[in-house]
Amino acid sequence: MAREIYRKIIELVLKAAELARSIGITNLLQPGLVKEMIIAEILGHELIYSKRDADAHAPNNPAEKYEYLSCKEGGSGQLDRMFSAPADKRADSLARITRNRKVYFAVFYAANQTKCKVIYEIEPKVVVEETEQQLDRSRNEISHVGFSEDWASRHGRIVYQDQTG
């Protein structure tokens, strides 16, 4: 029974990967990409699937970029590989935030991590302030900077909330 289900899942993933390749997405299984697709769809943004850019941009305006952070209920959203030093690498790390018009923090249900519960919109300058505080406290040159849902709810505003529970 389970093997049949595995086969069906693999078949569907292969079909989805083929669809993704047809629009230029070469690695559908890139970490976070499917959740970014879900967030972009909810917010009406255009997905940017390159790992070296923001996560999305405004429709018909590639210059207006957005960063997405996501987690499951009770988790934290992260910016990975942020440099606290040297100064030039720290500035490059912070530019990953400041290049964006907005930062969106999406929380997915723990029991169904393909279903979005809530999305908060946060000003990049607020995210930079918290990031700098965390980098200043870190003893590591490279850190992961984390943001809780509680932090996002205090510093952002809800722009989407699931109504189905």
Side-chain angles (χ1 to χ4, degrees):
M1 177 68 169
R3 288 178 62 94
E4 282 181 39
I5 293 172
Y6 295 156
R7 269 193 218 102
K8 184 66 176 171
I9 292 169
I10 291 167
E11 179 184 317
L12 291 170
V13 169
L14 293 174
K15 283 182 183 178
E18 185 179 329
L19 271 174
R21 280 191 301 278
S22 76
I23 58 168
I25 300 173
T26 58
N27 183 9
L28 178 65
L29 301 180
Q30 173 182 310
L33 184 60
V34 173
K35 283 189 176 178
E36 291 166 4
M37 285 179 175
I38 293 167
I39 298 165
E41 179 67 21
I42 289 169
L43 297 175
H45 297 160
E46 295 291 326
L47 182 71
I48 300 172
Y49 44 84
S50 163
K51 285 186 70 70
R52 301 286 175 231
D53 204 343
D55 294 321
H57 66 77
N60 304 314
N61 185 0
E64 185 175 312
K65 296 181 179 189
Y66 310 117
E67 187 69 23
Y68 296 157
L69 300 171
S70 67
C71 67
K72 67 179 180 179
E73 294 171 297
S76 68
Q78 286 191 165
L79 289 168
D80 292 344
R81 297 192 50 75
M82 298 292 286
F83 283 81
S84 60
D88 62 326
K89 287 191 174 186
R90 182 176 176 132
D92 289 345
S93 290
L94 294 174
R96 290 172 45 202
I97 303 166
T98 59
R99 69 183 172 198
N100 300 290
R101 176 104 155 76
K102 299 288 183 188
V103 175
Y104 293 92
F105 185 100
V107 180
F108 287 79
Y109 288 101
N112 180 355
Q113 293 182 44
T114 59
K115 186 169 183 171
C116 189
K117 176 182 173 183
V118 64
I119 300 174
Y120 300 92
E121 179 183 84
I122 307 167
E123 294 297 327
K125 67 180 180 167
V126 174
V127 178
V128 166
E129 289 169 9
E130 177 63 21
T131 299
E132 290 203 287
Q133 288 176 16
Q134 289 188 39
L135 291 175
D136 289 344
R137 289 192 304 263
S138 176
R139 286 184 243 129
N140 302 322
E141 219 172 79
I142 304 173
S143 298
H144 299 312
V145 177
F147 305 87
S148 68
E149 180 180 359
D150 183 55
W151 181 89
S153 71
R154 287 193 323 271
H155 294 92
R157 69 179 186 93
I158 294 174
V159 292
Y160 169 81
Q161 190 153 28
D162 178 48
Q163 300 300 313
T164 64

